[in-house]
Amino acid sequence: KIISKIDSKKMYFDFLVKWDEKLKEFCKKDFELLKNTKSYKEKDISFNYEGKILKARVDRISENEKEVILIDYKTSKDADKNEKYIYEFQTTFYYLYAKKFYKNKQIKTYIWDINNAELIDGIIKEDILKNVLNNLPNRVKEAEDIIVDNKIVKKATDICRYCEYKVACGRDL
């Protein structure tokens, strides 16, 4: 399916050089993981966590009689290094969702690093996620208070009042 969307010889060559072997290795490992499971792809999830509604889209949820596996796919070169803190929140979120809706199953969360054909175990950091969510109202307020030329601007749209380009974009009307 991917190859059918390639519309030039250069793109096809680039694909073969960069992705062909990586995708073959990924598929081999992923098909093994999929054996004997029922899977859902790009599933929207939401749940109430300590009074806050959390929503996301899980790339894949696979389940069998004993376990549920929540997976997010990544293609960046350093998926396990550069964005690790994001993945910790993501896999923690997935874990909390599964804990609520798959009560009698073992829960596993993974990041699929397709670039390296590596399945990275999810790291669960519920205490850090809880802290972030509890401080969210303060962070939003901080983001609303913008300082321009030593003046506190209360709303992001009020910043236009002090902008030297306001005439050009029509915000001075």
mmCIF file of all heavy atoms in Angstrom, residues 43-80:
data_model
loop_
_atom_site.group_PDB
_atom_site.id
_atom_site.type_symbol
_atom_site.label_atom_id
_atom_site.label_comp_id
_atom_site.label_asym_id
_atom_site.label_seq_id
_atom_site.Cartn_x
_atom_site.Cartn_y
_atom_site.Cartn_z
ATOM 1 N N LYS A 43 -7.622 3.764 18.013
ATOM 2 C CA LYS A 43 -8.808 3.795 18.864
ATOM 3 C C LYS A 43 -8.784 5.049 19.740
ATOM 4 O O LYS A 43 -7.818 5.302 20.454
ATOM 5 C CB LYS A 43 -8.873 2.547 19.734
ATOM 6 C CG LYS A 43 -10.113 2.526 20.594
ATOM 7 C CD LYS A 43 -10.283 1.235 21.331
ATOM 8 C CE LYS A 43 -11.573 1.331 22.134
ATOM 9 N NZ LYS A 43 -11.876 0.152 22.852
ATOM 10 N N ASP A 44 -9.869 5.827 19.662
ATOM 11 C CA ASP A 44 -10.016 6.989 20.531
ATOM 12 C C ASP A 44 -10.401 6.495 21.917
ATOM 13 O O ASP A 44 -11.298 5.662 22.058
ATOM 14 C CB ASP A 44 -11.099 7.931 20.001
ATOM 15 C CG ASP A 44 -10.681 8.623 18.718
ATOM 16 O OD1 ASP A 44 -9.493 8.970 18.591
ATOM 17 O OD2 ASP A 44 -11.539 8.819 17.844
ATOM 18 N N ILE A 45 -9.706 6.997 22.926
ATOM 19 C CA ILE A 45 -10.013 6.611 24.294
ATOM 20 C C ILE A 45 -10.223 7.867 25.132
ATOM 21 O O ILE A 45 -9.687 8.931 24.821
ATOM 22 C CB ILE A 45 -8.904 5.731 24.916
ATOM 23 C CG1 ILE A 45 -7.570 6.489 24.994
ATOM 24 C CG2 ILE A 45 -8.749 4.432 24.153
ATOM 25 C CD1 ILE A 45 -6.478 5.766 25.772
ATOM 26 N N SER A 46 -11.014 7.738 26.170
ATOM 27 C CA SER A 46 -11.152 8.815 27.147
ATOM 28 C C SER A 46 -11.621 8.197 28.451
ATOM 29 O O SER A 46 -12.287 7.156 28.455
ATOM 30 C CB SER A 46 -12.119 9.895 26.666
ATOM 31 O OG SER A 46 -13.440 9.488 26.780
ATOM 32 N N PHE A 47 -11.239 8.826 29.541
ATOM 33 C CA PHE A 47 -11.669 8.369 30.852
ATOM 34 C C PHE A 47 -11.454 9.479 31.864
ATOM 35 O O PHE A 47 -10.720 10.436 31.620
ATOM 36 C CB PHE A 47 -10.941 7.084 31.266
ATOM 37 C CG PHE A 47 -9.463 7.247 31.504
ATOM 38 C CD1 PHE A 47 -8.956 7.324 32.783
ATOM 39 C CD2 PHE A 47 -8.578 7.300 30.440
ATOM 40 C CE1 PHE A 47 -7.599 7.458 33.010
ATOM 41 C CE2 PHE A 47 -7.218 7.431 30.648
ATOM 42 C CZ PHE A 47 -6.722 7.519 31.939
ATOM 43 N N ASN A 48 -12.131 9.328 32.989
ATOM 44 C CA ASN A 48 -12.024 10.292 34.069
ATOM 45 C C ASN A 48 -10.899 9.848 34.990
ATOM 46 O O ASN A 48 -10.910 8.730 35.497
ATOM 47 C CB ASN A 48 -13.353 10.350 34.825
ATOM 48 C CG ASN A 48 -13.361 11.451 35.868
ATOM 49 O OD1 ASN A 48 -12.404 11.639 36.598
ATOM 50 N ND2 ASN A 48 -14.469 12.153 35.934
ATOM 51 N N TYR A 49 -9.942 10.735 35.191
ATOM 52 C CA TYR A 49 -8.830 10.452 36.091
ATOM 53 C C TYR A 49 -8.757 11.580 37.110
ATOM 54 O O TYR A 49 -8.424 12.720 36.756
ATOM 55 C CB TYR A 49 -7.510 10.341 35.312
ATOM 56 C CG TYR A 49 -6.312 10.113 36.197
ATOM 57 C CD1 TYR A 49 -6.088 8.879 36.788
ATOM 58 C CD2 TYR A 49 -5.421 11.145 36.464
ATOM 59 C CE1 TYR A 49 -4.991 8.669 37.597
ATOM 60 C CE2 TYR A 49 -4.316 10.943 37.276
ATOM 61 C CZ TYR A 49 -4.104 9.703 37.852
ATOM 62 O OH TYR A 49 -3.022 9.497 38.666
ATOM 63 N N GLU A 50 -9.148 11.264 38.329
ATOM 64 C CA GLU A 50 -9.137 12.234 39.423
ATOM 65 C C GLU A 50 -9.841 13.531 39.054
ATOM 66 O O GLU A 50 -9.318 14.630 39.252
ATOM 67 C CB GLU A 50 -7.712 12.475 39.898
ATOM 68 C CG GLU A 50 -7.070 11.226 40.470
ATOM 69 C CD GLU A 50 -5.767 11.475 41.187
ATOM 70 O OE1 GLU A 50 -5.254 12.611 41.160
ATOM 71 O OE2 GLU A 50 -5.266 10.518 41.791
ATOM 72 N N GLY A 51 -11.012 13.394 38.447
ATOM 73 C CA GLY A 51 -11.829 14.556 38.122
ATOM 74 C C GLY A 51 -11.476 15.252 36.821
ATOM 75 O O GLY A 51 -12.087 16.251 36.460
ATOM 76 N N LYS A 52 -10.513 14.727 36.100
ATOM 77 C CA LYS A 52 -10.115 15.320 34.819
ATOM 78 C C LYS A 52 -10.397 14.306 33.710
ATOM 79 O O LYS A 52 -10.067 13.138 33.848
ATOM 80 C CB LYS A 52 -8.636 15.692 34.833
ATOM 81 C CG LYS A 52 -8.314 16.791 35.831
ATOM 82 C CD LYS A 52 -6.826 16.905 36.048
ATOM 83 C CE LYS A 52 -6.473 17.938 37.072
ATOM 84 N NZ LYS A 52 -6.815 17.581 38.434
ATOM 85 N N ILE A 53 -10.995 14.771 32.626
ATOM 86 C CA ILE A 53 -11.255 13.889 31.491
ATOM 87 C C ILE A 53 -10.006 13.875 30.608
ATOM 88 O O ILE A 53 -9.571 14.918 30.112
ATOM 89 C CB ILE A 53 -12.479 14.367 30.673
ATOM 90 C CG1 ILE A 53 -13.725 14.435 31.553
ATOM 91 C CG2 ILE A 53 -12.699 13.453 29.463
ATOM 92 C CD1 ILE A 53 -14.176 13.104 32.115
ATOM 93 N N LEU A 54 -9.438 12.716 30.439
ATOM 94 C CA LEU A 54 -8.248 12.545 29.605
ATOM 95 C C LEU A 54 -8.661 11.840 28.322
ATOM 96 O O LEU A 54 -9.421 10.879 28.352
ATOM 97 C CB LEU A 54 -7.198 11.728 30.345
ATOM 98 C CG LEU A 54 -6.751 12.267 31.697
ATOM 99 C CD1 LEU A 54 -5.715 11.348 32.319
ATOM 100 C CD2 LEU A 54 -6.198 13.676 31.570
ATOM 101 N N LYS A 55 -8.139 12.332 27.193
ATOM 102 C CA LYS A 55 -8.468 11.762 25.884
ATOM 103 C C LYS A 55 -7.199 11.575 25.075
ATOM 104 O O LYS A 55 -6.257 12.349 25.192
ATOM 105 C CB LYS A 55 -9.398 12.701 25.102
ATOM 106 C CG LYS A 55 -10.734 12.919 25.745
ATOM 107 C CD LYS A 55 -11.574 13.860 24.900
ATOM 108 C CE LYS A 55 -12.923 14.087 25.540
ATOM 109 N NZ LYS A 55 -13.781 14.914 24.697
ATOM 110 N N ALA A 56 -7.229 10.545 24.225
ATOM 111 C CA ALA A 56 -6.094 10.290 23.328
ATOM 112 C C ALA A 56 -6.549 9.347 22.234
ATOM 113 O O ALA A 56 -7.674 8.852 22.241
ATOM 114 C CB ALA A 56 -4.927 9.675 24.092
ATOM 115 N N ARG A 57 -5.671 9.102 21.315
ATOM 116 C CA ARG A 57 -5.884 8.084 20.296
ATOM 117 C C ARG A 57 -4.709 7.117 20.376
ATOM 118 O O ARG A 57 -3.559 7.493 20.161
ATOM 119 C CB ARG A 57 -5.951 8.708 18.903
ATOM 120 C CG ARG A 57 -6.096 7.642 17.808
ATOM 121 C CD ARG A 57 -6.338 8.228 16.472
ATOM 122 N NE ARG A 57 -7.726 8.672 16.466
ATOM 123 C CZ ARG A 57 -8.262 9.421 15.525
ATOM 124 N NH1 ARG A 57 -7.534 9.811 14.519
ATOM 125 N NH2 ARG A 57 -9.519 9.774 15.578
ATOM 126 N N VAL A 58 -5.030 5.865 20.681
ATOM 127 C CA VAL A 58 -4.011 4.824 20.767
ATOM 128 C C VAL A 58 -3.845 4.243 19.368
ATOM 129 O O VAL A 58 -4.829 3.916 18.705
ATOM 130 C CB VAL A 58 -4.440 3.705 21.748
ATOM 131 C CG1 VAL A 58 -3.364 2.640 21.837
ATOM 132 C CG2 VAL A 58 -4.741 4.272 23.118
ATOM 133 N N ASP A 59 -2.594 4.122 18.919
ATOM 134 C CA ASP A 59 -2.361 3.575 17.588
ATOM 135 C C ASP A 59 -2.880 2.144 17.471
ATOM 136 O O ASP A 59 -3.452 1.773 16.459
ATOM 137 C CB ASP A 59 -0.873 3.625 17.224
ATOM 138 C CG ASP A 59 -0.406 5.039 16.931
ATOM 139 O OD1 ASP A 59 -1.246 5.896 16.593
ATOM 140 O OD2 ASP A 59 0.813 5.290 17.047
ATOM 141 N N ARG A 60 -2.660 1.347 18.515
ATOM 142 C CA ARG A 60 -3.188 -0.013 18.474
ATOM 143 C C ARG A 60 -3.410 -0.547 19.882
ATOM 144 O O ARG A 60 -2.594 -0.324 20.772
ATOM 145 C CB ARG A 60 -2.236 -0.950 17.743
ATOM 146 C CG ARG A 60 -2.871 -2.335 17.568
ATOM 147 C CD ARG A 60 -2.069 -3.260 16.695
ATOM 148 N NE ARG A 60 -1.097 -3.979 17.498
ATOM 149 C CZ ARG A 60 0.114 -4.297 17.073
ATOM 150 N NH1 ARG A 60 0.520 -3.964 15.881
ATOM 151 N NH2 ARG A 60 0.935 -4.958 17.849
ATOM 152 N N ILE A 61 -4.517 -1.245 20.032
ATOM 153 C CA ILE A 61 -4.787 -2.008 21.256
ATOM 154 C C ILE A 61 -4.990 -3.446 20.818
ATOM 155 O O ILE A 61 -5.810 -3.731 19.957
ATOM 156 C CB ILE A 61 -6.048 -1.504 21.985
ATOM 157 C CG1 ILE A 61 -5.879 -0.046 22.413
ATOM 158 C CG2 ILE A 61 -6.341 -2.387 23.198
ATOM 159 C CD1 ILE A 61 -7.119 0.559 23.054
ATOM 160 N N SER A 62 -4.199 -4.339 21.384
ATOM 161 C CA SER A 62 -4.334 -5.768 21.102
ATOM 162 C C SER A 62 -4.640 -6.463 22.416
ATOM 163 O O SER A 62 -4.067 -6.143 23.447
ATOM 164 C CB SER A 62 -3.041 -6.333 20.519
ATOM 165 O OG SER A 62 -2.766 -5.749 19.277
ATOM 166 N N GLU A 63 -5.552 -7.436 22.339
ATOM 167 C CA GLU A 63 -5.886 -8.149 23.565
ATOM 168 C C GLU A 63 -6.117 -9.623 23.283
ATOM 169 O O GLU A 63 -6.500 -10.017 22.193
ATOM 170 C CB GLU A 63 -7.103 -7.534 24.251
ATOM 171 C CG GLU A 63 -8.390 -7.635 23.466
ATOM 172 C CD GLU A 63 -9.576 -7.098 24.243
ATOM 173 O OE1 GLU A 63 -9.879 -7.630 25.333
ATOM 174 O OE2 GLU A 63 -10.200 -6.158 23.745
ATOM 175 N N ASN A 64 -5.839 -10.401 24.289
ATOM 176 C CA ASN A 64 -6.193 -11.813 24.282
ATOM 177 C C ASN A 64 -6.815 -12.126 25.636
ATOM 178 O O ASN A 64 -7.162 -11.210 26.387
ATOM 179 C CB ASN A 64 -4.981 -12.698 23.946
ATOM 180 C CG ASN A 64 -3.848 -12.523 24.940
ATOM 181 O OD1 ASN A 64 -4.056 -12.272 26.122
ATOM 182 N ND2 ASN A 64 -2.614 -12.654 24.450
ATOM 183 N N GLU A 65 -6.961 -13.390 25.966
ATOM 184 C CA GLU A 65 -7.631 -13.765 27.212
ATOM 185 C C GLU A 65 -6.906 -13.270 28.457
ATOM 186 O O GLU A 65 -7.529 -12.966 29.467
ATOM 187 C CB GLU A 65 -7.780 -15.283 27.286
ATOM 188 C CG GLU A 65 -8.694 -15.842 26.231
ATOM 189 C CD GLU A 65 -8.652 -17.359 26.190
ATOM 190 O OE1 GLU A 65 -7.959 -17.980 27.021
ATOM 191 O OE2 GLU A 65 -9.321 -17.919 25.307
ATOM 192 N N LYS A 66 -5.586 -13.170 28.392
ATOM 193 C CA LYS A 66 -4.791 -12.854 29.580
ATOM 194 C C LYS A 66 -4.305 -11.410 29.662
ATOM 195 O O LYS A 66 -4.111 -10.891 30.747
ATOM 196 C CB LYS A 66 -3.575 -13.778 29.644
ATOM 197 C CG LYS A 66 -3.918 -15.226 29.806
ATOM 198 C CD LYS A 66 -2.660 -16.055 29.819
ATOM 199 C CE LYS A 66 -3.009 -17.535 29.904
ATOM 200 N NZ LYS A 66 -1.819 -18.363 29.836
ATOM 201 N N GLU A 67 -4.060 -10.779 28.512
ATOM 202 C CA GLU A 67 -3.429 -9.463 28.565
ATOM 203 C C GLU A 67 -3.992 -8.503 27.531
ATOM 204 O O GLU A 67 -4.621 -8.904 26.561
ATOM 205 C CB GLU A 67 -1.918 -9.581 28.392
ATOM 206 C CG GLU A 67 -1.480 -10.067 27.033
ATOM 207 C CD GLU A 67 0.022 -10.298 26.932
ATOM 208 O OE1 GLU A 67 0.754 -10.136 27.922
ATOM 209 O OE2 GLU A 67 0.464 -10.645 25.832
ATOM 210 N N VAL A 68 -3.731 -7.230 27.780
ATOM 211 C CA VAL A 68 -4.048 -6.167 26.826
ATOM 212 C C VAL A 68 -2.742 -5.401 26.586
ATOM 213 O O VAL A 68 -1.975 -5.150 27.510
ATOM 214 C CB VAL A 68 -5.181 -5.239 27.337
ATOM 215 C CG1 VAL A 68 -4.791 -4.546 28.624
ATOM 216 C CG2 VAL A 68 -5.559 -4.215 26.285
ATOM 217 N N ILE A 69 -2.503 -5.074 25.316
ATOM 218 C CA ILE A 69 -1.271 -4.391 24.917
ATOM 219 C C ILE A 69 -1.665 -3.104 24.202
ATOM 220 O O ILE A 69 -2.423 -3.140 23.230
ATOM 221 C CB ILE A 69 -0.426 -5.276 23.976
ATOM 222 C CG1 ILE A 69 -0.083 -6.605 24.665
ATOM 223 C CG2 ILE A 69 0.825 -4.541 23.533
ATOM 224 C CD1 ILE A 69 0.500 -7.645 23.725
ATOM 225 N N LEU A 70 -1.150 -1.985 24.683
ATOM 226 C CA LEU A 70 -1.408 -0.684 24.064
ATOM 227 C C LEU A 70 -0.109 -0.200 23.448
ATOM 228 O O LEU A 70 0.936 -0.152 24.128
ATOM 229 C CB LEU A 70 -1.924 0.314 25.099
ATOM 230 C CG LEU A 70 -3.283 -0.069 25.689
ATOM 231 C CD1 LEU A 70 -3.093 -0.887 26.950
ATOM 232 C CD2 LEU A 70 -4.100 1.152 25.966
ATOM 233 N N ILE A 71 -0.165 0.154 22.161
ATOM 234 C CA ILE A 71 1.051 0.460 21.408
ATOM 235 C C ILE A 71 0.921 1.793 20.692
ATOM 236 O O ILE A 71 -0.126 2.111 20.121
ATOM 237 C CB ILE A 71 1.332 -0.646 20.363
ATOM 238 C CG1 ILE A 71 1.559 -1.983 21.073
ATOM 239 C CG2 ILE A 71 2.526 -0.281 19.488
ATOM 240 C CD1 ILE A 71 1.710 -3.151 20.134
ATOM 241 N N ASP A 72 2.012 2.548 20.707
ATOM 242 C CA ASP A 72 2.110 3.768 19.921
ATOM 243 C C ASP A 72 3.277 3.608 18.959
ATOM 244 O O ASP A 72 4.348 3.158 19.360
ATOM 245 C CB ASP A 72 2.331 4.976 20.832
ATOM 246 C CG ASP A 72 2.099 6.267 20.085
ATOM 247 O OD1 ASP A 72 0.928 6.551 19.787
ATOM 248 O OD2 ASP A 72 3.076 6.961 19.777
ATOM 249 N N TYR A 73 3.077 3.956 17.695
ATOM 250 C CA TYR A 73 4.122 3.826 16.677
ATOM 251 C C TYR A 73 4.891 5.132 16.533
ATOM 252 O O TYR A 73 4.297 6.200 16.496
ATOM 253 C CB TYR A 73 3.505 3.484 15.318
ATOM 254 C CG TYR A 73 2.752 2.191 15.291
ATOM 255 C CD1 TYR A 73 1.370 2.175 15.340
ATOM 256 C CD2 TYR A 73 3.427 0.978 15.201
ATOM 257 C CE1 TYR A 73 0.662 0.980 15.313
ATOM 258 C CE2 TYR A 73 2.726 -0.222 15.172
ATOM 259 C CZ TYR A 73 1.349 -0.206 15.226
ATOM 260 O OH TYR A 73 0.656 -1.380 15.202
ATOM 261 N N LYS A 74 6.200 5.022 16.413
ATOM 262 C CA LYS A 74 7.067 6.183 16.178
ATOM 263 C C LYS A 74 8.035 5.849 15.057
ATOM 264 O O LYS A 74 8.528 4.735 14.967
ATOM 265 C CB LYS A 74 7.867 6.548 17.434
ATOM 266 C CG LYS A 74 7.013 6.894 18.636
ATOM 267 C CD LYS A 74 6.209 8.145 18.408
ATOM 268 C CE LYS A 74 5.346 8.440 19.614
ATOM 269 N NZ LYS A 74 4.280 9.360 19.353
ATOM 270 N N THR A 75 8.317 6.854 14.219
ATOM 271 C CA THR A 75 9.261 6.633 13.119
ATOM 272 C C THR A 75 10.512 7.495 13.234
ATOM 273 O O THR A 75 11.404 7.375 12.407
ATOM 274 C CB THR A 75 8.592 6.935 11.757
ATOM 275 O OG1 THR A 75 8.099 8.260 11.779
ATOM 276 C CG2 THR A 75 7.490 5.942 11.468
ATOM 277 N N SER A 76 10.605 8.359 14.239
ATOM 278 C CA SER A 76 11.774 9.232 14.336
ATOM 279 C C SER A 76 13.018 8.407 14.624
ATOM 280 O O SER A 76 12.954 7.317 15.176
ATOM 281 C CB SER A 76 11.580 10.306 15.414
ATOM 282 O OG SER A 76 11.515 9.712 16.688
ATOM 283 N N LYS A 77 14.163 8.961 14.247
ATOM 284 C CA LYS A 77 15.418 8.220 14.364
ATOM 285 C C LYS A 77 15.766 7.865 15.806
ATOM 286 O O LYS A 77 16.325 6.819 16.064
ATOM 287 C CB LYS A 77 16.569 9.021 13.755
ATOM 288 C CG LYS A 77 16.581 8.996 12.265
ATOM 289 C CD LYS A 77 17.831 9.632 11.727
ATOM 290 C CE LYS A 77 17.841 9.499 10.223
ATOM 291 N NZ LYS A 77 19.047 10.023 9.640
ATOM 292 N N ASP A 78 15.481 8.739 16.739
ATOM 293 C CA ASP A 78 15.850 8.499 18.130
ATOM 294 C C ASP A 78 14.622 8.458 19.027
ATOM 295 O O ASP A 78 14.555 9.122 20.046
ATOM 296 C CB ASP A 78 16.814 9.582 18.616
ATOM 297 C CG ASP A 78 18.135 9.547 17.882
ATOM 298 O OD1 ASP A 78 18.660 8.438 17.681
ATOM 299 O OD2 ASP A 78 18.643 10.613 17.517
ATOM 300 N N ALA A 79 13.640 7.650 18.667
ATOM 301 C CA ALA A 79 12.380 7.593 19.416
ATOM 302 C C ALA A 79 12.599 7.262 20.885
ATOM 303 O O ALA A 79 11.896 7.742 21.737
ATOM 304 C CB ALA A 79 11.448 6.571 18.788
ATOM 305 N N ASP A 80 13.603 6.463 21.176
ATOM 306 C CA ASP A 80 13.805 6.063 22.564
ATOM 307 C C ASP A 80 14.667 7.055 23.340
ATOM 308 O O ASP A 80 14.826 6.923 24.535
ATOM 309 C CB ASP A 80 14.425 4.667 22.634
ATOM 310 C CG ASP A 80 15.766 4.589 21.944
ATOM 311 O OD1 ASP A 80 16.039 5.405 21.046
ATOM 312 O OD2 ASP A 80 16.557 3.694 22.300
#
